[in-house]
Amino acid sequence: MATHDTILNSKSLEVIPDGLSLALTIPWYRSLWVSSISSIAVTLDGQELAQDKMSFRINGKRFTLDEVPNQWEELWFMQDRAYLDMHLGAAGAVGSDHTITFHIELRLPYMQIKPGFYLPNIVHQTVTLKVQG
Amino acid sequence: MTDVATKAKFKLGVTLYSFSAEWAAGQYDLESMLARVGELGIGPGVEIMASQTVRTYPYTDDAFIKQWLGLCDKYGFEPSAYGTNLDMGRNRAKEMSLDEEFDFVLTQIEAGAKMRFPVIKIQSAGSELLTKLLPHAERLNVKLGYEIHAPEGPNTPKIMAIRETYDKIGSPLLGFVPDFSSTMSNMGRTMLQAFRDKGLDEAAIVKVQEVWAKDTPVFERIGEFVAYLEGRGLDPNMLGPFGRMAFNMNGHINPLEWNDIMHQIVHVHAKFFDMNPDGQVDAIDYPLHTKILVEGGYDGYISSEWEGHAFADLGVMDPFIVVKQQQDLMKKYM
């Protein structure tokens, strides 16, 4: 995966008290405002997760996926991980394997094509990850 | 042969953008990255991008400025250019007004000047914005450079419009930053390998290079290649963003056109993707590019900019080593 399409790595899947979390690397070559994320969709072991079963965590704050495109003052610094928390009702099991399809669409806020329209970057990845201890 | 009259007046350097993938992966912090650059003897110029390196972007605090200047002193680096961005669309509900754009860029210019960068790379060269920024560039004694990157070149309509704006304003502080991506001889091997990795067969590899070499506008060439793939029953989405990038990031304008703006060049990006086994840069004529800048009397910094990370996975190449090789090559022609 290169700078334009890296989002997950082999250590990305972690346990949270009510499910699993994905540690995300920004799929671009610079830091971006959280509002640069247009949408996120995740399929976990063949099941597409409802949007309200996920939240986005960064800089010690948590946002619903609805709120993400409005966070224009929150910076996703290039060296920081953001977390996509998947609320599954129970903590995930360390060491178990899960197949994840991650789809994210970005709107690059400095690459204006014409007023109101910006260059997108779309990353779509399917990976099998082991839950880290 | 040493000809004093044509000795290079410019200095070499590197943009830390070359190490984007290692930076994103957290393999280095600013000090350890600069230490590695210093150990290899790369430099003396160092360029950074505010939106990549500065955690408090677009603002820069005194602690960061102090750290930056201290590291430059410690390793003997010279600040060369500070890359700024204009995130006019950060608020989806309302695009920036001219005053907001001005504030967003000026805070980066002020920081760049405090960090002793002689050149600030600007992303927008609109006439109104430039007119507002210019008195501050004069006050801070910095030059403002607009990057000319593929698919643009010195004489494409978009750049001609900026040249006209510059002529109207008439300030020696306004200039350009040529990027060698505009003036490549052929498509880079790294990009073609990325296409193969995505599943393109050799017939499609031949076709993409044939379409790339045409003189038609970029959007037409992208359309032509997409039509070719669809005609063969292939989904253009299989290439992800690489299909578009092939045409946007590799230009084939004649390098001699850089002479048309030589007097306005304030900084240079010596773009490259890979080195060849013979020691030359793949797909870009470095003897020619270096000669043009030597003979043109260019006297700023040339930043090595390795952009293979856009196509190659982290760890496939060591960008610090290839930057060192590329600088050693340029030195032969200086």
Side-chain angles (χ1 to χ4, degrees):
Chain A
M1 294 294 119
T3 37
H4 297 64
D5 64 354
T6 296
I7 185 106
L8 300 170
N9 62 48
S10 62
K11 306 272 185 226
S12 290
L13 190 57
E14 303 176 359
V15 175
I16 53 172
D18 67 340
L20 291 166
S21 184
L22 289 166
L24 311 176
T25 300
I26 197 161
W28 200 241
Y29 60 73
R30 52 158 283 191
S31 309
L32 289 171
W33 306 100
V34 172
S35 61
S36 308
I37 300 168
S38 300
S39 65
I40 292 174
V42 176
T43 302
L44 176 65
D45 299 321
Q47 295 282 324
E48 182 163 351
L49 292 180
Q51 292 280 300
D52 64 3
K53 295 289 183 204
M54 296 183 279
S55 59
F56 188 85
R57 185 158 49 89
I58 192 166
N59 302 336
K61 297 171 192 170
R62 180 185 301 281
F63 303 104
T64 66
L65 293 196
D66 275 355
E67 291 168 335
V68 162
N70 302 323
Q71 305 310 312
W72 62 274
E73 290 176 300
E74 204 65 58
L75 190 72
W76 182 356
F77 181 59
M78 193 175 167
Q79 288 200 299
D80 288 347
R81 300 296 161 256
Y83 295 87
L84 195 276
D85 289 346
M86 301 178 281
H87 308 290
L88 308 170
V94 172
S96 59
D97 289 325
H98 296 276
T99 300
I100 289 155
T101 297
F102 196 94
H103 184 92
I104 184 167
E105 302 203 0
L106 298 179
R107 170 194 193 259
L108 305 168
Y110 61 108
M111 291 195 160
Q112 194 188 53
I113 298 164
K114 57 182 181 180
F117 290 88
Y118 292 84
L119 193 72
N121 188 47
I122 299 169
V123 180
H124 186 94
Q125 257 187 40
T126 298
V127 287
T128 299
L129 299 177
K130 192 176 286 298
V131 179
Q132 302 298 298
Chain B
M1 252 192 348
T2 310
D3 181 350
V4 176
T6 57
K7 209 167 167 342
K9 295 195 180 102
F10 53 77
K11 292 186 189 178
L12 299 182
V14 67
T15 169
L16 298 190
Y17 172 80
S18 304
F19 317 120
S20 290
E22 289 74 15
W23 179 252
Q27 292 180 358
Y28 293 89
D29 60 19
L30 186 61
E31 168 139 25
S32 59
M33 185 172 275
L34 288 173
R36 179 100 200 270
V37 171
E39 276 163 23
L40 287 166
I42 297 166
V46 178
E47 170 180 357
I48 61 174
M49 264 173 80
S51 63
Q52 189 172 73
T53 309
V54 184
R55 177 176 284 282
T56 52
Y57 171 81
Y59 308 105
T60 306
D61 59 27
D62 290 343
F64 182 85
I65 292 170
K66 197 174 161 208
Q67 184 198 14
W68 166 255
L69 293 174
L71 290 172
C72 285
D73 279 350
K74 182 171 174 183
Y75 295 104
F77 292 132
E78 299 169 16
S80 59
Y82 190 58
T84 68
N85 280 122
L86 174 51
D87 299 342
M88 67 275 268
R90 66 192 284 219
N91 180 355
R92 288 174 186 250
K94 190 185 148 293
E95 284 183 353
M96 282 185 188
S97 65
L98 181 62
D99 282 344
E100 288 165 338
E101 289 189 354
F102 169 74
D103 289 343
F104 195 87
V105 179
L106 181 60
T107 191
Q108 295 174 74
I109 294 176
E110 297 261 11
K114 281 188 198 163
M115 291 159 77
R116 297 191 197 139
F117 286 102
V119 172
I120 311 291
K121 218 162 77 55
I122 51 167
Q123 204 211 316
S124 171
S127 171
E128 286 179 302
L129 183 60
L130 279 183
T131 305
K132 280 171 73 81
L133 290 173
L134 190 55
H136 297 277
E138 286 165 355
R139 168 174 61 83
L140 298 163
N141 193 28
V142 290
K143 291 181 179 171
L144 305 181
Y146 182 88
E147 182 171 354
I148 304 179
H149 186 284
E152 305 300 332
N155 297 300
T156 53
K158 186 177 172 184
I159 302 303
M160 285 308 292
I162 296 171
R163 290 173 63 181
E164 277 165 32
T165 299
Y166 281 4
D167 285 348
K168 241 177 265 170
I169 298 175
S171 167
L173 297 183
L174 301 178
F176 291 105
V177 180
D179 182 292
F180 295 173
S181 64
S182 295
T183 44
M184 295 176 67
S185 341
N186 49 273
M187 289 182 78
R189 192 174 53 208
T190 328
M191 170 164 282
L192 295 175
Q193 186 56 46
F195 279 174
R196 289 188 178 99
D197 293 346
K198 295 274 181 189
L200 276 197
D201 60 19
E202 289 309 305
I205 294 287
V206 169
K207 184 70 181 179
V208 72
Q209 295 178 82
E210 182 192 311
V211 176
W212 177 81
K214 291 188 177 185
D215 288 326
T216 48
V218 167
F219 70 91
E220 276 182 33
R221 285 185 278 152
I222 293 175
E224 185 177 344
F225 186 57
V226 164
Y228 163 82
L229 292 174
E230 286 171 343
R232 288 193 47 201
L234 299 168
D235 178 5
N237 291 320
M238 71 190 274
L239 300 177
F242 292 140
R244 161 173 55 77
M245 283 157 62
F247 298 94
N248 281 344
M249 293 176 66
N250 290 189
H252 57 56
I253 286 161
N254 186 336
L256 293 173
E257 288 191 27
W258 293 124
N259 282 320
D260 299 345
I261 53 157
M262 186 58 70
H263 62 294
Q264 290 173 306
I265 297 178
V266 295
H267 186 69
V268 172
H269 281 171
K271 170 65 51 67
F272 73 115
F273 299 94
D274 203 357
M275 300 297 291
N276 284 331
D278 66 359
Q280 288 293 331
V281 169
D282 181 56
I284 302 172
D285 185 342
Y286 263 65
L288 178 58
H289 281 79
T290 314
K291 182 170 181 253
I292 289 168
L293 291 164
V294 170
E295 291 182 353
Y298 170 63
D299 61 1
Y301 290 91
I302 297 182
S303 278
S304 295
E305 186 176 281
W306 182 73
E307 203 171 33
H309 58 74
F311 314 107
D313 295 353
L314 176 66
V316 168
M317 270 190 260
D318 183 339
F320 294 88
I321 299 293
V322 289
V323 163
K324 172 66 176 158
Q325 292 170 344
Q326 181 244 26
Q327 293 209 338
D328 287 346
L329 175 70
M330 277 193 284
K331 283 176 190 165
K332 287 191 202 166
Y333 306 109
M334 287 168 67

